[in-house]
Structures are given as C-alpha cells and as structure tokens.
C-alpha cells in the first residue's frame, strides 16, 4: 500500500508569500500614483482642482515608494515579528 505525502506550507513560506504580495502591491501603487501625478502635471491637462490632485498624488506616490523600498529591503521584519 502506498501512502500519499502531503506537505503543508511552512511558516517561512507563508511569510515569504506575504512579503512578495506587499512588495508587489506597494510597487504598483507607487507607479500608478506617480503616473497620475505626471499626467496631471502637464500643461495641456485642464480640469477643476488639478493642482490639488497633482499634489496629493505626488505625496502618496512618495509614501508608497518609501514603503516599497523599506519592505523590499527587509524592514518589514520590524512590523511582523514572529
């Protein structure tokens, strides 16, 4: 009789998956908000409250960029101690 072997994911594998998901999502957010900031900064784009959208998207793009770099460099270990 042959017994099937099932392997459960280890804690390190789960932490690695969370790490990859955080890096990916913060990177996409930074790129998207940076693109929005650049598009609203053009002279040819005209709509109401343009500078407010440009300013806030720049701040959030910078914030997500710092989060992305911090998580990618391993600083999330301080947040998720196990």
């Amino acid at each position: 009789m042959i017994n099937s072997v099932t392997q459960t994911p280890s804690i390190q594998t789960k932490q690695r998956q969370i790490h990859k998901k955080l890096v990916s999502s913060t990177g996409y957010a930074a790129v998207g908000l940076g693109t929005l900031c650049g598009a609203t900064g053009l002279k040819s784009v005209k709509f109401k409250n343009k500078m407010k959208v440009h300013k806030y998207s720049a701040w959030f793009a910078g914030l997500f960029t710092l989060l992305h770099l911090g998580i990618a460099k391993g600083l999330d270990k301080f947040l998720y101690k196990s």
Side-chain angles (χ1 to χ4, degrees):
M1 184 161 128
I2 299 174
N3 292 334
S4 63
V5 177
T6 58
Q7 187 176 18
T8 59
S10 67
I11 293 174
Q12 287 181 339
T13 305
K14 288 180 184 179
Q15 287 176 346
R16 184 70 184 147
Q17 290 173 347
I18 292 170
H19 183 266
K20 286 174 71 174
K21 193 171 186 176
L22 284 172
V23 170
S24 177
S25 60
T26 55
Y28 282 127
V31 169
L33 288 166
T35 303
L36 177 67
C37 176
T40 55
L42 297 173
K43 276 188 175 182
S44 61
V45 176
K46 294 180 181 165
F47 61 91
K48 189 175 180 181
N49 298 326
K50 172 185 159 181
M51 291 311 293
K52 195 178 254 190
V53 172
H54 177 71
K55 181 172 67 172
Y56 287 132
S57 62
W59 278 104
F60 284 121
L63 175 72
F64 277 108
T65 301
L66 290 175
L67 280 173
H68 176 74
L69 289 174
I71 292 170
K73 291 292 183 183
L75 298 179
D76 60 333
K77 292 176 186 174
F78 295 115
L79 298 174
Y80 302 106
K81 291 182 181 178
S82 58

